[in-house]
Amino acid sequence: MTGTAGGSTPPVFLVDAVPSGDRAVLEGEEARHAVTVRRTRPGERLTLSDGRGALADCVVEAVHPGRDPRLELTVEARRDDPPPPLRVTIVQALAKGDRGELAVELATEAGADTVLPWRAARSVARWDDGPRGAKALGRWRSTARAAAKQARRGRVPDVPEPVTTKELAPVLADADVALVLEASAARSITEVELPATGELCLVVGPEGGIAPEELAAFTAAGAVGVRLGPTVLRTSTAGAVALGALGALTARWA
């Protein structure tokens, strides 16, 4: 999170693979967005990304609108967006309405490497294992893609299948550091020793809070409860605020 996106920063478009040659063609939905939404013109610059760290800076040579729009591009440079030495997974409790998607959007813009949906005991939202659950997961993944493009990120966060509390406990145990956001925690996030490298998991509970038995399971797995500050944050904003704190407390923003 280095600044605000603006007109001086070339927009990012996601592709299956970054072109290896000096020429490229942008097609499909990304081309449609470039033509109909962004009104892209010849001579403008844009960046192609595979969402896994590879990027190509391009100049638009020609724009072909119509039913199947496409852009002809000249590749000026290729580069790589390396993963941060300390990777952060936001374990996000399912939230009602669009609160969950807002949480994914903000966490992605703030730099989350993974957003793991969690079926918390007190989550009002319930994702079943059928079409409705798949649709909800698809919305989270689409939100992560759109937010990564908006933030000009070269990496789109992973959004895996949702986990239960029982499934989450070993994930926390395997992390180098696991933190649970809890307003009543004795320690502030600034008081916890954070690693320079490795995997950090940060658990964000639902609007109703994390159940005592869940806290017990996470503590048994080695997780540490922390608070962010004197105020109580909503589940949709807590992850992004915590990522901001981690950016300042570690080398992630260096």
Side-chain angles (χ1 to χ4, degrees):
M1 193 161 60
T2 58
T4 56
S8 61
T9 306
V12 172
F13 294 90
L14 291 172
V15 293
D16 292 336
V18 169
S20 57
D22 297 332
R23 308 283 294 181
V25 176
L26 182 63
E27 301 175 297
E29 287 302 315
E30 293 291 85
R32 190 177 308 281
H33 180 78
V35 173
T36 61
V37 178
R38 298 198 63 91
R39 307 289 184 184
T40 304
R41 298 289 182 263
E44 294 183 10
R45 282 176 163 75
L46 58 81
T47 298
L48 300 181
S49 169
D50 65 357
R52 299 180 298 277
L55 302 114
D57 298 319
C58 306
V59 175
V60 179
E61 297 297 337
V63 177
H64 302 278
R67 188 172 181 178
D68 297 307
R70 60 189 175 89
L71 279 69
E72 296 180 25
L73 312 171
T74 295
V75 179
E76 290 190 320
R78 271 174 291 275
R79 52 195 172 89
D80 185 65
D81 181 15
L86 178 64
R87 286 178 47 84
V88 176
T89 292
I90 296 293
V91 179
Q92 178 63 53
L94 303 185
K96 63 181 179 180
D98 59 359
R99 289 283 174 183
E101 290 163 50
L102 178 59
V104 174
E105 179 181 24
L106 296 178
T108 299
E109 292 179 358
D113 300 292
T114 298
V115 180
L116 177 60
W118 168 39
R119 291 182 167 120
R122 293 177 177 172
S123 288
V124 175
R126 297 291 176 185
W127 292 6
D128 57 32
D129 292 325
R132 290 183 62 186
K135 186 176 180 180
L137 179 60
R139 286 197 298 268
W140 278 35
R141 288 172 172 169
S142 295
T143 298
R145 285 174 58 88
K149 290 166 58 178
Q150 177 65 30
R152 311 301 198 252
R153 290 186 57 175
R155 293 179 178 273
V156 177
D158 295 326
V159 183
E161 295 284 338
V163 294
T164 63
T165 297
K166 183 178 180 180
E167 293 167 333
L168 177 56
V171 174
L172 301 183
D174 288 341
D176 294 286
V177 172
L179 305 177
V180 180
L181 296 185
E182 181 62 31
S184 61
R187 278 194 283 180
S188 166
I189 195 171
T190 59
E191 300 173 38
V192 178
E193 184 176 351
L194 300 171
T197 61
E199 300 283 337
L200 186 151
C201 280
L202 186 73
V203 180
V204 180
E207 296 288 0
I210 300 175
E213 61 272 18
E214 293 172 326
L215 280 174
F218 299 157
T219 301
V224 177
V226 296
R227 66 180 189 279
L228 284 176
T231 59
V232 177
L233 299 173
R234 302 202 71 161
T235 187
S236 53
T237 55
V241 173
L243 281 162
L246 292 173
L249 294 171
T250 68
R252 280 174 58 86
W253 284 358

